[in-house]
Amino acid sequence: MYRTHTCGELRSTHIQQTVTLAGWVQTVRKFGAITFVDLRDRYGITQLLIGEELNILLDQNPLGREFVIQATGMVSERSNKNPNMPTGDIEIAVQNFTILNKSAVPPFTIQDDTDGGDDLRMKYRYLDLRRNTLKKNMELRYAVNRAARNYLHQKQFIDIETPFLIKSTPEGARDFVVPSRMNPGEFYALPQSPQTFKQLLMVSGYDRYYQVVKCFRDEDLRADRQPEFTQIDCEMAFIQQDDILEMFEGMIKSIFKEVRNIDYTEPVERMSWEDAMWTYGIDKPDIRFGMKLANLKFPAHAFLNKESAFKEDMFSIPALGGGGAETILAIAVPGCSEYSRKQTDELTEWVKRPQIGMKGLVFIKCNADGTYKSTVDKFYNPEIIKSIADAAGAEKGDLVLILAGAEERTRKAMSDLRLEMGKKLGLRKENEFKLLWVLDFPLFEYDEEGNRWVARHHPFTSPKPSDIETMINHDPQIANAAEYLKHPYANIKANAYDMVLNGNEIGGGSIRIFQRDLQEKMFAALGMSKEEQQHKFGFLLGAFEYGAPPHGGIAFGFDRLCAILGGSEGIRDFIAFPKNNSGRDVMLDAPSSIDETQLKELQIKLNLQ
Amino acid sequence: MYRTHTCGELRSTHIQQTVTLAGWVQTVRKFGAITFVDLRDRYGITQLLIGEELNILLDQNPLGREFVIQATGMVSERSNKNPNMPTGDIEIAVQNFTILNKSAVPPFTIQDDTDGGDDLRMKYRYLDLRRNTLKKNMELRYAVNRAARNYLHQKQFIDIETPFLIKSTPEGARDFVVPSRMNPGEFYALPQSPQTFKQLLMVSGYDRYYQVVKCFRDEDLRADRQPEFTQIDCEMAFIQQDDILEMFEGMIKSIFKEVRNIDYTEPVERMSWEDAMWTYGIDKPDIRFGMKLANLKFPAHAFLNKESAFKEDMFSIPALGGGGAETILAIAVPGCSEYSRKQTDELTEWVKRPQIGMKGLVFIKCNADGTYKSTVDKFYNPEIIKSIADAAGAEKGDLVLILAGAEERTRKAMSDLRLEMGKKLGLRKENEFKLLWVLDFPLFEYDEEGNRWVARHHPFTSPKPSDIETMINHDPQIANAAEYLKHPYANIKANAYDMVLNGNEIGGGSIRIFQRDLQEKMFAALGMSKEEQQHKFGFLLGAFEYGAPPHGGIAFGFDRLCAILGGSEGIRDFIAFPKNNSGRDVMLDAPSSIDETQLKELQIKLNLQ
């Protein structure tokens, strides 16, 4: 061992002990004949004092930033204590030191506020990982991993490894594939998730399974997506939806406690997908704050149990693109009635950006004196203005924002605007955590191009028990594309659930189909022929013939969960060696070309277009 | 929840309670009007008693093997207790039951001694996994995983995930590669191990790293090799060899304790590679028993510190292929002097099998009366016969076995013969565990074809500190191929170590090179040009410039370790979903052909030969 102690553990109780430390030179400061060195390792920083008598040694072995050294000396009381450092009471009076390895000058400073840009930091990731910020992230990630495992272990879950070289069954996202040398012309796929394997494990009787596991998706990368990512993947048998919800809100609460020392004691709110979309405009609402959407007009989209605030189409506002808007939505922003013209103009510009894509924004200022001032005063009498403000739940001093347009886009825009206003007003507090279950998603989505149904979640998700009959008894064919919403399948709800944390989906899952006939009906509804079903999922259909138990599960996005718990919006700095937005590892310079002999052995060749 | 209790937990303390169980029908037995059902789940088996009053329900819903049912009833005392079952004191007087799912008749019986052949069991792996044997294996695997993690956590190791889509750097085994759609013509590789990443993490300052991680090798599969396998992968900084040995024998002992409740308190024996080869003929000796090799002739191979029992070439035995054998080895098999002609003939046949490849076997029977009887009596006088037996350490009643031939093959054959005799004599006890560290491997192996050096372990292994000078100061070029053993590199020892358990290598590792110049020298010694070094390992050489600490590590073969702890020779039944010897998953039928569109997107095409 090159050390007797770490750089984080010496205290005044160690004074007079002779110790050996090893680590990296953080700083070198010379005061006359004396040199102070801050020595850093994973555990902290300890001050070394190199006295005059070692000046010759120091001259022969000059120290620089990030040099790796070993130093032996006596723990001494500091004359000038530093209360901000755990080791601030002591220093090491160095008797001898050795340079274990030198360092070139790093391309950026190894400090909390580094001067390194993103590209440089990615290229020298091994140096970036030395920074305290990233170290804390890696430690947090490990703590989350450990907390999840401990909770699941205690609940009798068992970690069973599933294979990485599996079969390509393109459904949804694109598979990464791996050519097989031993089976020329054939390919393995890397798993997008262990979905079918965990279901098979339920059929095998392992009624509580988990895995913290890498998954792979060959998608065009958006910011903050990675081609390989980690899931906390779980499955249970002999359970219903409520059992899953209870078990896994327990897990997340346990992680909160272990990792952030947060006692999340209140029950987790549950909301139907329809309520979430209606009230927040999104299926993963941030419920740390209100500002709920007022639906001023009944939308074309299928909200079955909803009523809009106004029966009639009362709006025909040029600023919103004229009359006949499919959807009109309002929110009341608290305490913003005195926004200046500049501020409201900025908001208007904001909603007009291409990412939001609205034509304009209507304001109603609810003045402190009870009067209203609106950008559409000239079109409507004050009673109507007031009734809109009331519908939005506005109080004196609030600012009502109104958007109108096509259903989907307007709802999305209003959700974005709500989040933006929440952020502006400081309502999205970094240290507040609000969990939410979103339930009862539609089982199918309509695919306009193919005039057919696609699975919203995946083809293994069961309909709600009450909808199973509907699914079995109706033909999935859509006779009239224009009226697809009237097809019975449009209203089938999935026995599925998402866990949302502060407006982020951190986990999702479902109760699975476990009956062969229902699974075949599902595959058929998605347009899969019998032959295709057998080719792709014959093993699963087969397994369902030999006593498959009722089961369901959930998978958590581990990278995202860690980022949120770490108070960050980006996942990249919670992954030790991430890839950039082109899927490249710029440190390794991967992917890269491979040898002709490798291609030949695999019996493939390039076919560049 | 479909159940109030599991099938493994009810005891006589539960009598009179109404419970609901769910599980699989193991057996159905009818006694007159009464039906007994053994209901099975992951936790055990509970007997259900279905009385006469439910016969109509039973007629309408006949039960078969592996049906999934839910049954409610009262826990009752059994009249006929079964002391061999934890739940044997009670049974459930069923009040109601429901069939949750039916089962076709399984293709083999779900029992400890199944009637299913290997192929059938692989195809229906999800049924095979129901068998108690495999369930126990999966549980043992999880217990080993958990014990390793807990030990490492307690020792301040941190689990950091390394990437799976990396760069292909073909050294040693073949990489599996993954075509990149977003970077046409380029490929990722799947990691053969996280070797370079864990070294980078040491450079980053995470001084104790671990991971239980999948690794991939595209090798022609021998029996009991898998293209994907799991490692317990570890690395430490600021340590020397002894620190690693202590840390990880601690881990294995902790696993023994947690998983098998074995107190392995004695220190782990350490043996040099040279001693292992000399004394046991193999670098992973089973030291549960003696029967050490007597080296009757000094071999051509480089054993530096050894002396053979006889200086002269005293053997010229026709039965062993005549005179001039490169190597002559003997073992004394205890208590076998009275082997019959049939038995010795069988042994002779055994060594003549192509897998062993010897020309013959010489026997010396050391009779109880102190006389000797040998197959070579006619060639040698009794004194010589006696001196050979003495050299082999034979006592009265032993049988001395002698092999002669080319060095490598003969040593291997004698090791195999020793293991075979150990097995025959019951000296390789299933429940005895003997650990061994094998140290001081040669750093290089000679590659005859290329007349060059190859790394025995991998190019990141450091020479022993005392050999670093030799390595730096000599040209790796081998001027005279015939005398390669005289090249200074032939005698350089690696700072490497293998952990051996009962004759199996379960782990291996080394102290790493951490200096750029030494690493470059190593790459050059292996015939890598500067450009190639930079292209393949530029990131690592770069990292060594910025303060790399001394470090080293080890990786354990997790599958093998589990198999040995489970008392098995094969790893396949310790992996949930293994592949067969052609690398195929016969359950999934993977690998398989992929769509033309997938190939087109990847910009590759097949090039079948």
Coordinates of all heavy atoms in Angstrom, one line a residue, chain A residues 301-360:
Chain A
H301 N -60.3 16.1 -29.8 CA -59.7 14.9 -29.3 C -60.6 14.2 -28.3 O -61.4 14.9 -27.6 CB -58.4 15.3 -28.7 CG -57.5 14.1 -28.5 ND1 -56.7 13.6 -29.5 CD2 -57.3 13.3 -27.4 CE1 -56.1 12.5 -29.0 NE2 -56.4 12.4 -27.8
A302 N -60.4 13.0 -28.2 CA -61.3 12.2 -27.3 C -61.0 12.3 -25.8 O -60.1 11.6 -25.3 CB -61.2 10.7 -27.7
F303 N -61.6 13.3 -25.2 CA -61.6 13.3 -23.7 C -63.0 12.9 -23.3 O -63.9 13.6 -23.5 CB -61.2 14.7 -23.2 CG -59.8 15.0 -23.3 CD1 -59.4 15.9 -24.4 CD2 -58.8 14.5 -22.5 CE1 -58.0 16.2 -24.5 CE2 -57.5 14.8 -22.6 CZ -57.1 15.7 -23.6
L304 N -63.1 11.7 -22.7 CA -64.4 11.1 -22.6 C -65.2 11.7 -21.4 O -66.4 11.9 -21.5 CB -64.3 9.6 -22.4 CG -63.6 8.9 -23.5 CD1 -63.4 7.4 -23.2 CD2 -64.4 9.1 -24.8
N305 N -64.5 12.0 -20.4 CA -65.3 12.4 -19.2 C -65.1 13.9 -18.9 O -65.2 14.3 -17.7 CB -64.8 11.6 -18.0 CG -64.8 10.1 -18.3 OD1 -65.8 9.6 -18.7 ND2 -63.6 9.5 -18.3
K306 N -64.8 14.7 -19.9 CA -64.5 16.1 -19.6 C -65.6 17.0 -20.1 O -66.3 16.7 -21.1 CB -63.2 16.4 -20.2 CG -62.0 15.6 -19.8 CD -61.8 15.7 -18.3 CE -60.8 14.7 -17.7 NZ -60.8 14.6 -16.3
E307 N -65.7 18.2 -19.5 CA -66.5 19.2 -20.1 C -65.7 20.5 -20.1 O -65.0 20.8 -19.2 CB -67.7 19.5 -19.2 CG -68.8 18.4 -19.4 CD -70.1 18.8 -18.8 OE1 -70.2 20.0 -18.4 OE2 -71.0 18.0 -18.8
S308 N -65.8 21.3 -21.2 CA -65.1 22.5 -21.3 C -65.8 23.6 -20.5 O -67.0 23.4 -20.2 CB -64.9 22.9 -22.7 OG -66.1 23.0 -23.3
A309 N -65.1 24.6 -20.2 CA -65.7 25.7 -19.4 C -66.8 26.4 -20.2 O -67.7 27.0 -19.6 CB -64.6 26.7 -19.1
F310 N -66.7 26.4 -21.5 CA -67.7 27.1 -22.3 C -68.2 26.1 -23.4 O -67.5 25.5 -24.0 CB -67.1 28.4 -23.0 CG -66.7 29.4 -22.0 CD1 -65.3 29.4 -21.6 CD2 -67.5 30.3 -21.4 CE1 -64.9 30.3 -20.6 CE2 -67.1 31.2 -20.5 CZ -65.8 31.2 -20.1
K311 N -69.5 26.1 -23.5 CA -70.1 25.2 -24.5 C -69.9 25.7 -25.9 O -69.7 24.9 -26.8 CB -71.6 25.0 -24.2 CG -71.9 24.3 -22.9 CD -71.6 22.8 -23.0 CE -71.8 22.1 -21.7 NZ -71.1 20.9 -21.6
E312 N -70.0 27.0 -26.0 CA -70.0 27.6 -27.3 C -68.6 28.0 -27.8 O -67.8 28.2 -27.0 CB -70.9 28.8 -27.4 CG -72.4 28.5 -27.1 CD -73.1 29.8 -26.6 OE1 -73.1 30.8 -27.4 OE2 -73.5 29.8 -25.5
D313 N -68.5 28.1 -29.1 CA -67.3 28.6 -29.7 C -67.3 30.1 -29.6 O -67.8 30.8 -30.5 CB -67.2 28.1 -31.1 CG -65.8 28.4 -31.7 OD1 -65.0 29.1 -31.0 OD2 -65.6 28.1 -32.9
M314 N -66.8 30.6 -28.5 CA -67.0 32.0 -28.2 C -65.8 32.9 -28.7 O -65.8 34.1 -28.6 CB -67.2 32.3 -26.7 CG -66.2 31.6 -25.9 SD -66.6 31.7 -24.1 CE -66.7 33.5 -24.0
F315 N -64.8 32.2 -29.1 CA -63.6 33.0 -29.5 C -63.4 33.1 -31.0 O -63.5 32.1 -31.7 CB -62.4 32.3 -28.9 CG -62.2 32.6 -27.4 CD1 -62.7 31.7 -26.5 CD2 -61.6 33.7 -27.0 CE1 -62.6 31.9 -25.2 CE2 -61.5 34.0 -25.6 CZ -62.0 33.1 -24.7
S316 N -63.2 34.3 -31.4 CA -62.8 34.5 -32.8 C -61.8 35.6 -32.7 O -62.1 36.7 -33.1 CB -64.0 34.8 -33.6 OG -63.6 35.0 -34.9
I317 N -60.6 35.4 -32.3 CA -59.7 36.4 -32.0 C -58.6 36.5 -33.0 O -57.9 35.5 -33.2 CB -59.1 36.2 -30.6 CG1 -60.2 36.0 -29.5 CG2 -58.1 37.3 -30.2 CD1 -59.7 35.5 -28.2
P318 N -58.5 37.6 -33.7 CA -57.5 37.7 -34.8 C -56.1 37.3 -34.2 O -55.3 36.7 -34.9 CB -57.6 39.1 -35.2 CG -59.0 39.5 -34.9 CD -59.3 38.8 -33.6
A319 N -55.8 37.8 -33.0 CA -54.4 37.6 -32.5 C -54.1 36.1 -32.3 O -52.9 35.7 -32.3 CB -54.3 38.3 -31.1
L320 N -55.1 35.3 -32.3 CA -54.9 33.9 -32.1 C -55.1 33.1 -33.4 O -55.3 31.9 -33.4 CB -55.8 33.3 -31.0 CG -55.5 33.9 -29.6 CD1 -56.5 33.4 -28.6 CD2 -54.1 33.5 -29.2
G321 N -55.2 33.9 -34.5 CA -55.4 33.2 -35.8 C -56.8 33.1 -36.2 O -57.2 32.2 -37.0
G322 N -57.6 33.9 -35.6 CA -59.0 34.0 -36.1 C -59.9 32.9 -35.4 O -59.5 32.3 -34.5
G323 N -61.1 32.8 -35.9 CA -62.1 31.9 -35.3 C -61.8 30.5 -35.6 O -60.9 30.1 -36.4
G324 N -62.7 29.6 -35.1 CA -62.7 28.2 -35.4 C -61.5 27.4 -34.9 O -61.3 26.4 -35.4
A325 N -60.8 28.0 -33.9 CA -59.6 27.2 -33.4 C -60.1 25.9 -32.7 O -61.2 25.9 -32.1 CB -58.9 28.0 -32.3
E326 N -59.4 24.9 -32.9 CA -59.8 23.6 -32.4 C -59.8 23.5 -30.9 O -60.7 23.0 -30.3 CB -58.8 22.5 -33.0 CG -59.4 21.1 -33.0 CD -58.3 20.1 -33.6 OE1 -57.1 20.4 -33.4 OE2 -58.8 19.1 -34.1
T327 N -58.9 24.2 -30.4 CA -58.7 24.2 -28.9 C -58.3 25.6 -28.4 O -57.6 26.3 -29.0 CB -57.5 23.2 -28.6 OG1 -57.9 21.9 -29.0 CG2 -57.2 23.2 -27.1
I328 N -58.9 25.9 -27.3 CA -58.6 27.2 -26.6 C -58.3 26.9 -25.1 O -59.1 26.3 -24.4 CB -59.7 28.2 -26.7 CG1 -60.1 28.4 -28.2 CG2 -59.2 29.6 -26.1 CD1 -61.4 29.2 -28.3
L329 N -57.1 27.3 -24.7 CA -56.7 26.9 -23.3 C -56.2 28.2 -22.6 O -55.6 29.1 -23.3 CB -55.5 25.9 -23.4 CG -55.8 24.6 -24.0 CD1 -54.5 23.8 -24.2 CD2 -56.7 23.8 -23.0
A330 N -56.4 28.2 -21.3 CA -55.9 29.4 -20.5 C -55.3 28.9 -19.2 O -55.6 27.8 -18.7 CB -57.1 30.3 -20.2
I331 N -54.3 29.7 -18.8 CA -53.8 29.5 -17.4 C -53.7 30.8 -16.7 O -53.6 31.9 -17.4 CB -52.4 28.9 -17.4 CG1 -51.4 29.7 -18.2 CG2 -52.4 27.4 -17.8 CD1 -49.9 29.3 -18.0
A332 N -53.8 30.8 -15.4 CA -53.7 32.0 -14.6 C -52.4 32.0 -13.9 O -52.1 31.1 -13.1 CB -54.8 32.1 -13.6
V333 N -51.5 33.0 -14.3 CA -50.2 33.0 -13.7 C -50.3 34.0 -12.4 O -50.6 35.1 -12.6 CB -49.2 33.6 -14.7 CG1 -47.8 33.6 -14.1 CG2 -49.2 32.8 -16.0
P334 N -50.0 33.4 -11.3 CA -50.2 34.2 -10.1 C -49.3 35.4 -9.9 O -48.1 35.3 -10.2 CB -49.9 33.2 -8.9 CG -49.1 32.1 -9.5 CD -49.5 32.1 -11.0
G335 N -49.9 36.5 -9.6 CA -49.1 37.7 -9.2 C -48.4 38.4 -10.4 O -47.5 39.2 -10.1
C336 N -48.8 38.2 -11.6 CA -48.1 38.8 -12.7 C -48.9 39.8 -13.5 O -48.7 40.1 -14.6 CB -47.6 37.7 -13.7 SG -46.3 36.7 -12.9
S337 N -50.0 40.3 -12.8 CA -50.9 41.2 -13.6 C -50.2 42.5 -13.9 O -50.6 43.3 -14.8 CB -52.1 41.5 -12.7 OG -51.7 42.3 -11.6
E338 N -49.1 42.8 -13.3 CA -48.4 44.1 -13.6 C -47.3 43.9 -14.5 O -46.4 44.8 -14.6 CB -48.0 44.8 -12.2 CG -49.2 44.9 -11.3 CD -49.0 46.0 -10.3 OE1 -47.9 46.5 -10.1 OE2 -50.0 46.4 -9.7
Y339 N -47.2 42.8 -15.2 CA -46.2 42.6 -16.3 C -46.2 43.8 -17.2 O -47.3 44.3 -17.6 CB -46.5 41.4 -17.1 CG -45.6 40.2 -16.7 CD1 -45.2 40.0 -15.4 CD2 -45.3 39.2 -17.6 CE1 -44.4 38.9 -15.0 CE2 -44.5 38.1 -17.3 CZ -44.0 38.0 -15.9 OH -43.3 36.9 -15.6
S340 N -45.0 44.3 -17.6 CA -44.9 45.4 -18.5 C -45.2 44.9 -19.9 O -45.2 43.7 -20.2 CB -43.5 46.0 -18.4 OG -42.6 45.0 -18.9
R341 N -45.3 45.9 -20.8 CA -45.5 45.6 -22.2 C -44.3 44.8 -22.7 O -44.5 43.8 -23.5 CB -45.6 46.9 -23.0 CG -45.7 46.8 -24.5 CD -47.0 46.0 -24.9 NE -47.0 45.7 -26.3 CZ -47.7 46.4 -27.2 NH1 -48.4 47.4 -26.9 NH2 -47.6 46.0 -28.4
K342 N -43.1 45.2 -22.2 CA -41.9 44.4 -22.7 C -42.0 43.0 -22.2 O -41.7 42.1 -23.0 CB -40.7 45.1 -22.0 CG -39.3 44.5 -22.4 CD -38.2 45.4 -22.2 CE -36.8 44.8 -22.3 NZ -36.4 44.0 -21.2
Q343 N -42.5 42.8 -21.0 CA -42.5 41.4 -20.5 C -43.6 40.6 -21.3 O -43.3 39.4 -21.6 CB -42.9 41.4 -19.0 CG -41.7 41.8 -18.1 CD -42.1 41.9 -16.7 OE1 -42.9 42.7 -16.3 NE2 -41.4 41.1 -15.8
T344 N -44.7 41.2 -21.5 CA -45.7 40.4 -22.3 C -45.3 40.2 -23.7 O -45.5 39.1 -24.3 CB -47.1 41.1 -22.2 OG1 -47.0 42.4 -22.7 CG2 -47.7 41.2 -20.8
D345 N -44.6 41.2 -24.3 CA -44.1 41.0 -25.6 C -43.1 39.8 -25.7 O -43.1 39.0 -26.6 CB -43.4 42.3 -26.1 CG -44.4 43.3 -26.6 OD1 -45.6 43.0 -26.7 OD2 -43.9 44.4 -27.0
E346 N -42.3 39.7 -24.7 CA -41.3 38.6 -24.6 C -42.0 37.3 -24.6 O -41.6 36.3 -25.2 CB -40.4 38.8 -23.4 CG -39.2 39.6 -23.6 CD -38.4 39.9 -22.3 OE1 -38.7 39.3 -21.3 OE2 -37.6 40.8 -22.3
L347 N -43.1 37.2 -23.8 CA -43.9 36.0 -23.7 C -44.5 35.6 -25.1 O -44.5 34.5 -25.5 CB -45.0 36.1 -22.7 CG -44.5 36.0 -21.2 CD1 -45.7 36.0 -20.3 CD2 -43.7 34.7 -21.0
T348 N -45.0 36.7 -25.7 CA -45.6 36.4 -27.1 C -44.5 35.9 -28.0 O -44.7 34.9 -28.8 CB -46.2 37.7 -27.6 OG1 -47.1 38.2 -26.7 CG2 -46.9 37.5 -29.0
E349 N -43.3 36.5 -28.0 CA -42.2 36.0 -28.8 C -41.9 34.6 -28.5 O -41.7 33.8 -29.4 CB -41.0 36.9 -28.6 CG -41.1 38.3 -29.3 CD -41.6 38.1 -30.8 OE1 -41.0 37.4 -31.5 OE2 -42.6 38.7 -31.1
W350 N -41.9 34.3 -27.2 CA -41.6 33.0 -26.7 C -42.5 31.9 -27.3 O -42.1 30.9 -27.8 CB -41.6 32.9 -25.2 CG -41.0 31.7 -24.6 CD1 -39.7 31.6 -24.2 CD2 -41.6 30.5 -24.2 NE1 -39.4 30.3 -23.7 CE2 -40.6 29.7 -23.7 CE3 -42.9 30.0 -24.3 CZ2 -40.9 28.3 -23.3 CZ3 -43.2 28.7 -23.9 CH2 -42.2 27.9 -23.4
V351 N -43.8 32.2 -27.3 CA -44.8 31.2 -27.8 C -44.7 31.1 -29.4 O -45.2 30.1 -30.0 CB -46.2 31.4 -27.4 CG1 -46.3 31.4 -25.9 CG2 -46.8 32.6 -27.9
K352 N -44.2 32.2 -30.0 CA -44.1 32.2 -31.4 C -42.8 31.4 -32.0 O -42.7 31.2 -33.2 CB -44.1 33.6 -32.0 CG -45.5 34.3 -32.0 CD -45.3 35.7 -32.4 CE -46.6 36.3 -33.0 NZ -46.5 37.7 -33.4
R353 N -41.9 31.1 -31.1 CA -40.7 30.4 -31.5 C -41.1 29.1 -32.2 O -42.1 28.5 -31.9 CB -39.8 30.1 -30.3 CG -39.3 31.3 -29.6 CD -38.3 30.9 -28.5 NE -38.9 29.8 -27.7 CZ -38.2 28.9 -27.0 NH1 -36.8 29.0 -27.0 NH2 -38.7 28.0 -26.4
P354 N -40.3 28.7 -33.2 CA -40.7 27.4 -33.9 C -40.9 26.2 -33.0 O -41.7 25.4 -33.2 CB -39.5 27.2 -34.8 CG -38.6 28.4 -34.7 CD -39.0 29.3 -33.6
Q355 N -40.1 26.1 -31.9 CA -40.2 25.0 -31.0 C -41.6 25.0 -30.3 O -42.1 23.9 -29.9 CB -39.2 25.0 -29.8 CG -37.8 25.0 -30.3 CD -37.2 26.4 -30.3 OE1 -37.8 27.3 -31.0 NE2 -36.1 26.7 -29.6
I356 N -42.3 26.1 -30.2 CA -43.6 26.2 -29.6 C -44.7 26.3 -30.7 O -45.6 25.6 -30.7 CB -43.7 27.4 -28.6 CG1 -42.6 27.4 -27.6 CG2 -45.1 27.4 -27.9 CD1 -42.6 26.2 -26.6
G357 N -44.4 27.2 -31.6 CA -45.2 27.2 -32.9 C -46.6 27.8 -32.8 O -47.5 27.4 -33.5
M358 N -46.8 28.7 -31.8 CA -48.2 29.4 -31.7 C -48.2 30.7 -32.5 O -47.2 31.3 -32.8 CB -48.5 29.6 -30.2 CG -48.7 28.4 -29.4 SD -50.3 27.6 -29.7 CE -49.8 26.3 -30.8
K359 N -49.4 31.1 -32.9 CA -49.5 32.3 -33.7 C -49.5 33.5 -32.8 O -49.2 34.6 -33.3 CB -50.8 32.3 -34.4 CG -50.9 31.1 -35.5 CD -51.4 31.6 -36.8 CE -51.2 30.6 -37.9 NZ -52.3 29.6 -38.0
G360 N -49.9 33.4 -31.5 CA -49.9 34.5 -30.7 C -50.4 34.2 -29.3 O -50.7 33.0 -29.0

